[in-house]
Amino acid sequence: MSEKIDLPPLFKGATHRMVNGGEPVKAVCWKKDGDHPKVERYPIERRSYKGLLVAGPKDKLALHFGDWIIEDAKGRYWIEPAGALSTAKYAPLGSGAGPAAVVAVLALAAAVLGLILGQPSDLPLLFGVTHLMYYSSIKGQWDGTANGVFDLDTDTIKVSAHTNTYAPNQDTHDFFDDVTNEVTGTNYTAGGATLASPTVTRSTNTVTFDAADVVWTQSGAGFSTARKFVVYKSTGVSTTSRLGSVVTADADVGNVTGDLTIAWSAGGIWTWTTT
């Protein structure tokens, strides 16, 4: 006769059990802002982390994109590094199988997703970023600065790609002629891509500017050293094309081995919130 083992009860939102002891936990892979209510995002360049997990009054844990936030039934938090969550420590709920069987199931799932979504080179590239505004674009909305006002759903708004050599200056860079080291290559047009389907919407105390994602299609003769992406209002003349913001990736990217997709945040490209 087999011995019956009573496992600790589950709690709402639990996704796994600890292999050693069976304690239920909730595991969330942090991929973007909003994945967890206690995560704070800090858009600061040259920091190794992309946010902080506020775990308690005195506890703040550094986060990278892809890290796992683990929460137990008592509301305690800890971080597991990016990558596949260890099946030697965490067993998904509903899998009565041992670690080897879980790995096999995950491998099968990955194979099926590959058939549905395509090979890795066909998928959007995901990377950590920082996103900073140029101050002249903010000031110009209220003081009547020439070419300072953005009509975001009517103006031609573009995003251009630049190498890491370009050093953005939020204080002094105001027009596109200040931006240097633009990439070149097949399927990339000088000046960048125009943002399609722009919208400006309001929800309660937040106004959001958003647009369709941008895709530079694959070419072996494309570019591979893009690191900084400038969002700006294009007038067709670099000296009057007002800068808006700059997105900096954690590593060089390009369209040589696959399509390069700029997937904007689910919360929009720019947001303004009042309280």
Side-chain angles (χ1 to χ4, degrees):
M1 179 182 296
S2 61
E3 181 181 0
K4 180 180 178 181
I5 301 175
D6 292 324
L7 293 173
L10 297 176
F11 63 92
K12 184 178 180 180
T15 60
H16 294 70
R17 285 190 184 275
M18 302 290 292
V19 171
N20 183 13
E23 291 289 337
V25 295
K26 178 181 179 180
V28 176
C29 185
W30 191 56
K31 297 179 180 178
K32 63 182 186 302
D33 294 350
D35 275 345
H36 198 284
K38 288 185 177 290
V39 168
E40 295 183 11
R41 175 76 183 276
Y42 288 85
I44 303 173
E45 289 191 276
R46 296 179 295 278
R47 290 287 182 91
S48 64
Y49 61 85
K50 295 303 167 195
L52 294 177
L53 174 66
V54 181
K58 298 181 180 179
D59 301 317
K60 290 181 172 64
L61 307 175
L63 278 171
H64 296 76
F65 284 133
D67 284 352
W68 290 87
I69 303 170
I70 311 297
E71 178 183 0
D72 68 9
K74 296 181 179 179
R76 295 174 296 191
Y77 298 90
W78 61 95
I79 305 300
E80 295 288 358
L85 197 61
S86 171
T87 54
K89 295 174 64 177
Y90 305 96
L93 293 180
S95 76
V102 172
V103 171
V105 170
L106 291 176
L108 176 61
V112 172
L113 287 175
L115 291 175
I116 296 173
L117 300 177
Q119 297 305 310
S121 61
D122 301 324
L123 301 177
L125 184 62
L126 301 178
F127 49 81
V129 300
T130 59
H131 194 169
L132 303 175
M133 296 290 291
Y134 293 97
Y135 294 132
S136 70
S137 66
I138 302 172
K139 181 175 179 288
Q141 305 310 303
W142 290 282
D143 69 359
T145 300
N147 297 305
V149 176
F150 285 72
D151 188 344
L152 291 169
D153 55 0
T154 302
D155 289 338
T156 299
I157 308 299
K158 290 189 172 185
V159 58
S160 57
H162 305 261
T163 71
N164 199 41
T165 304
Y166 168 53
N169 189 313
Q170 290 175 273
D171 294 300
T172 62
H173 289 183
D174 48 10
F175 295 109
F176 194 66
D177 62 336
D178 291 319
V179 182
T180 62
N181 300 95
E182 188 173 9
V183 302
T184 59
T186 301
N187 294 336
Y188 181 87
T189 301
T194 299
L195 300 189
S197 305
T199 60
V200 178
T201 57
R202 173 182 174 266
S203 177
T204 313
N205 61 344
T206 299
V207 174
T208 300
F209 164 58
D210 203 2
D213 293 344
V214 173
V215 180
W216 284 294
T217 54
Q218 186 275 334
S219 171
F223 59 94
S224 59
T225 57
R227 180 79 68 93
K228 292 167 183 174
F229 301 86
V230 174
V231 181
Y232 69 102
K233 178 178 75 171
S234 175
T235 64
V237 179
S238 64
T239 55
T240 60
S241 293
R242 177 73 63 178
L243 303 180
S245 63
V246 56
V247 179
T248 301
D250 279 351
D252 287 348
V253 295
N255 68 337
V256 172
T257 60
D259 292 355
L260 175 62
T261 298
I262 306 299
W264 304 113
S265 167
I269 300 173
W270 298 341
T271 61
W272 297 266
T273 302
T274 61
T275 55

